[in-house]
Protein backbone atom coordinates (compact mmCIF):
# COMPACT_ATOMS: atom_id res chain seq x y z
CA UNK A 1 0.00 0.00 0.00
CA UNK A 2 1.33 3.40 -1.11
CA UNK A 3 4.52 1.96 -2.62
CA UNK A 4 3.85 3.51 -6.03
CA UNK A 5 2.32 0.52 -7.84
CA UNK A 6 -0.04 2.58 -10.00
CA UNK A 7 2.43 5.35 -10.78
CA UNK A 8 5.32 3.01 -11.58
CA UNK A 9 3.10 0.57 -13.47
CA UNK A 10 1.58 3.30 -15.61
CA UNK A 11 5.03 4.73 -16.45
CA UNK A 12 6.51 1.33 -17.25
CA UNK A 13 3.61 0.44 -19.52
CA UNK A 14 3.79 3.80 -21.28
CA UNK A 15 7.54 3.51 -21.91
CA UNK A 16 7.11 0.13 -23.61
CA UNK A 17 3.76 0.52 -25.36
CA UNK A 18 2.09 -2.03 -23.09
CA UNK A 19 -1.47 -1.88 -21.78
CA UNK A 20 -1.93 -0.83 -18.16
CA UNK A 21 -4.60 -2.06 -15.76
CA UNK A 22 -5.16 -0.80 -12.21
CA UNK A 23 -7.51 -3.17 -10.42
CA UNK A 24 -8.46 -0.58 -7.79
CA UNK A 25 -9.49 1.80 -10.59
CA UNK A 26 -11.55 -0.94 -12.26
CA UNK A 27 -13.26 -1.72 -8.97
CA UNK A 28 -14.05 1.97 -8.41
CA UNK A 29 -15.37 2.43 -11.96
CA UNK A 30 -17.75 -0.50 -11.57
CA UNK A 31 -18.76 -0.20 -7.91
CA UNK A 32 -18.07 3.34 -6.73
CA UNK A 33 -15.40 4.60 -4.34
CA UNK A 34 -13.53 1.95 -2.40
CA UNK A 35 -14.28 3.56 1.00
CA UNK A 36 -18.01 3.33 0.17
CA UNK A 37 -17.64 -0.35 -0.76
CA UNK A 38 -15.90 -1.01 2.58
CA UNK A 39 -18.64 0.90 4.42
CA UNK A 40 -21.42 -1.03 2.70
CA UNK A 41 -19.94 -4.53 2.36
CA UNK A 42 -17.03 -4.58 4.80
CA UNK A 43 -13.56 -5.78 3.96
CA UNK A 44 -14.71 -9.32 3.13
CA UNK A 45 -17.24 -7.99 0.60
CA UNK A 46 -14.59 -5.77 -0.96
CA UNK A 47 -12.14 -8.69 -1.16
CA UNK A 48 -14.73 -10.81 -3.03
CA UNK A 49 -15.19 -8.05 -5.61
CA UNK A 50 -11.43 -7.53 -5.80
CA UNK A 51 -10.71 -11.23 -6.43
CA UNK A 52 -13.25 -11.31 -9.27
CA UNK A 53 -11.84 -8.14 -10.87
CA UNK A 54 -8.25 -9.36 -10.55
CA UNK A 55 -9.14 -12.65 -12.26
CA UNK A 56 -10.90 -10.80 -15.10
CA UNK A 57 -8.08 -8.31 -15.59
CA UNK A 58 -5.35 -10.96 -15.52
CA UNK A 59 -7.26 -12.99 -18.13
CA UNK A 60 -7.69 -9.94 -20.35
CA UNK A 61 -4.16 -8.64 -19.85
CA UNK A 62 -2.35 -11.73 -21.04
CA UNK A 63 1.41 -11.33 -21.39
CA UNK A 64 1.51 -7.86 -22.90
CA UNK A 65 0.40 -5.67 -20.03
CA UNK A 66 1.24 -4.26 -16.64
CA UNK A 67 -1.32 -4.89 -13.91
CA UNK A 68 -1.31 -2.95 -10.65
CA UNK A 69 -3.01 -4.87 -7.85
CA UNK A 70 -4.25 -3.46 -4.58
CA UNK A 71 -1.98 -4.27 -1.65
CA UNK A 72 -4.45 -6.76 -0.18
CA UNK A 73 -5.21 -8.65 -3.39
CA UNK A 74 -2.70 -11.35 -2.44
CA UNK A 75 -4.84 -12.30 0.54
CA UNK A 76 -7.09 -14.29 -1.80
CA UNK A 77 -5.85 -17.83 -2.45
CA UNK A 78 -7.33 -17.88 -5.95
CA UNK A 79 -5.50 -14.67 -6.82
CA UNK A 80 -2.24 -16.13 -5.52
CA UNK A 81 -2.74 -19.18 -7.77
CA UNK A 82 -3.34 -16.94 -10.80
CA UNK A 83 -0.22 -14.91 -10.05
CA UNK A 84 2.02 -17.98 -10.05
CA UNK A 85 2.01 -17.90 -13.85
CA UNK A 86 2.87 -14.17 -14.07
CA UNK A 87 6.00 -12.09 -13.64
CA UNK A 88 5.18 -10.54 -10.25
CA UNK A 89 7.06 -7.53 -8.92
CA UNK A 90 7.12 -6.65 -5.25
CA UNK A 91 7.70 -2.91 -4.86
CA UNK A 92 9.37 -2.90 -1.47
CA UNK A 93 9.12 0.19 0.69
CA UNK A 94 9.42 1.18 4.30
CA UNK A 95 7.17 3.28 6.49
CA UNK A 96 9.38 6.37 6.15
CA UNK A 97 8.94 6.26 2.37
CA UNK A 98 5.17 5.74 2.31
CA UNK A 99 4.14 7.86 5.30
CA UNK A 100 4.14 11.19 3.40
CA UNK A 101 1.84 9.58 0.79
CA UNK A 102 -0.55 8.38 3.48
CA UNK A 103 -1.04 11.62 5.40
CA UNK A 104 -4.45 13.05 4.62
CA UNK A 105 -5.33 10.19 2.23
CA UNK A 106 -8.99 9.35 2.79
CA UNK A 107 -9.16 6.72 0.04
CA UNK A 108 -7.63 3.90 2.07
CA UNK A 109 -10.25 2.51 4.44
CA UNK A 110 -7.85 0.19 6.25
CA UNK A 111 -5.74 3.19 7.25
CA UNK A 112 -8.61 5.31 8.58
CA UNK A 113 -7.33 4.98 12.14
CA UNK A 114 -3.64 5.18 12.87
CA UNK A 115 -2.19 5.08 9.37
CA UNK A 116 1.44 4.53 10.39
CA UNK A 117 0.72 1.74 12.86
CA UNK A 118 -1.78 0.05 10.56
CA UNK A 119 0.55 0.22 7.55
CA UNK A 120 3.40 -1.29 9.59
CA UNK A 121 1.14 -4.11 10.80
CA UNK A 122 -0.18 -4.84 7.31
CA UNK A 123 3.38 -4.86 5.98
CA UNK A 124 4.43 -7.43 8.61
CA UNK A 125 1.39 -9.59 7.86
CA UNK A 126 1.52 -9.40 4.05
CA UNK A 127 5.28 -9.29 3.42
CA UNK A 128 5.68 -13.10 3.46
CA UNK A 129 3.00 -13.38 0.75
CA UNK A 130 4.60 -10.65 -1.35
CA UNK A 131 8.01 -12.26 -1.05
CA UNK A 132 6.70 -15.74 -1.86
CA UNK A 133 4.93 -14.54 -5.02
CA UNK A 134 7.60 -12.14 -6.27
CA UNK A 135 9.56 -12.92 -9.41
CA UNK A 136 11.51 -9.73 -8.62
CA UNK A 137 11.75 -7.29 -5.74
CA UNK A 138 12.43 -3.63 -6.44
CA UNK A 139 13.49 -1.29 -3.64
CA UNK A 140 11.45 1.92 -3.73
CA UNK A 141 12.89 3.50 -0.59
CA UNK A 142 13.42 7.23 -1.15
CA UNK A 143 13.39 6.70 -4.92
CA UNK A 144 11.54 8.80 -7.47
CA UNK A 145 9.11 6.87 -9.71
CA UNK A 146 11.42 7.08 -12.75
CA UNK A 147 14.26 5.58 -10.71
CA UNK A 148 11.97 2.73 -9.64
CA UNK A 149 10.93 2.18 -13.26
CA UNK A 150 14.60 1.91 -14.31
CA UNK A 151 15.27 -0.56 -11.49
CA UNK A 152 12.26 -2.59 -12.60
CA UNK A 153 13.40 -2.53 -16.22
CA UNK A 154 16.79 -3.89 -15.09
CA UNK A 155 14.98 -6.76 -13.33
CA UNK A 156 12.85 -7.45 -16.40
CA UNK A 157 15.88 -7.39 -18.74
CA UNK A 158 17.70 -9.83 -16.51
CA UNK A 159 14.70 -12.15 -16.31
CA UNK A 160 13.90 -12.14 -20.01
CA UNK A 161 17.56 -12.28 -21.08
CA UNK A 162 17.92 -15.36 -18.95
CA UNK A 163 14.64 -16.91 -20.06
CA UNK A 164 13.89 -15.85 -23.63
CA UNK A 165 15.94 -12.99 -24.97
CA UNK A 166 15.81 -9.25 -24.42
CA UNK A 167 13.17 -6.90 -23.12
CA UNK A 168 11.06 -5.67 -26.00
CA UNK A 169 7.70 -4.16 -26.72
CA UNK A 170 6.11 -7.60 -26.95
CA UNK A 171 6.59 -8.43 -23.24
Amino acid sequence: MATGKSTVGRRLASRHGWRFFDTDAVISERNGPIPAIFAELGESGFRRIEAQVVAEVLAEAGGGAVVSLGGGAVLDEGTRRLLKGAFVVFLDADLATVLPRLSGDTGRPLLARGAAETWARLDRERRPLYEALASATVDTRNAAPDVVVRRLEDQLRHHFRTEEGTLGNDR
Side-chain angles (χ1 to χ4, degrees), residues 13-92:
S14 177
R15 285 173 58 126
H16 294 279
W18 299 330
R19 293 181 300 159
F20 175 73
F21 298 88
D22 182 323
T23 59
D24 282 349
V26 173
I27 291 167
S28 293
E29 287 169 14
R30 292 182 184 176
N31 301 283
I34 289 174
I37 299 168
F38 265 76
E40 182 180 334
L41 304 175
E43 183 176 0
S44 63
F46 172 79
R47 295 290 174 215
R48 283 191 302 277
I49 293 169
E50 180 180 49
Q52 178 182 349
V53 166
V54 168
E56 291 171 13
V57 166
L58 289 175
E60 182 180 341
V66 175
V67 179
S68 172
L69 302 180
V74 299
L75 299 173
D76 180 75
E77 186 178 332
T79 297
R80 291 194 304 271
R81 277 195 306 274
L82 290 172
L83 291 174
K84 288 188 187 230
F87 187 86
V88 176
V89 178
F90 169 30
L91 295 183
D92 193 7

Side-chain angles (χ1 to χ4, degrees), residues 146-163:
D146 287 332
V147 171
V148 176
V149 169
R150 284 193 298 276
R151 290 176 182 170
L152 177 51
E153 288 172 329
D154 289 344
Q155 292 278 350
L156 287 166
R157 278 188 196 93
H158 174 73
H159 174 79
F160 287 111
R161 188 176 307 125
T162 303
E163 298 242 333

Side-chain angles (χ1 to χ4, degrees), residues 61-145:
V66 175
V67 179
S68 172
L69 302 180
V74 299
L75 299 173
D76 180 75
E77 186 178 332
T79 297
R80 291 194 304 271
R81 277 195 306 274
L82 290 172
L83 291 174
K84 288 188 187 230
F87 187 86
V88 176
V89 178
F90 169 30
L91 295 183
D92 193 7
D94 60 3
L95 183 59
T97 299
V98 302
L99 197 53
R101 300 173 192 166
L102 299 175
S103 61
D105 185 343
T106 59
R108 301 177 193 273
L110 293 179
L111 301 181
R113 294 186 203 126
E117 298 81 13
T118 303
W119 188 93
R121 178 181 53 79
L122 292 173
D123 181 61
R124 283 190 308 274
E125 292 171 2
R126 295 174 179 177
R127 179 170 289 274
L129 294 172
Y130 298 154
E131 291 172 343
L133 288 167
S135 306
T137 299
V138 178
D139 187 356
T140 68
R141 288 169 182 82
N142 302 311

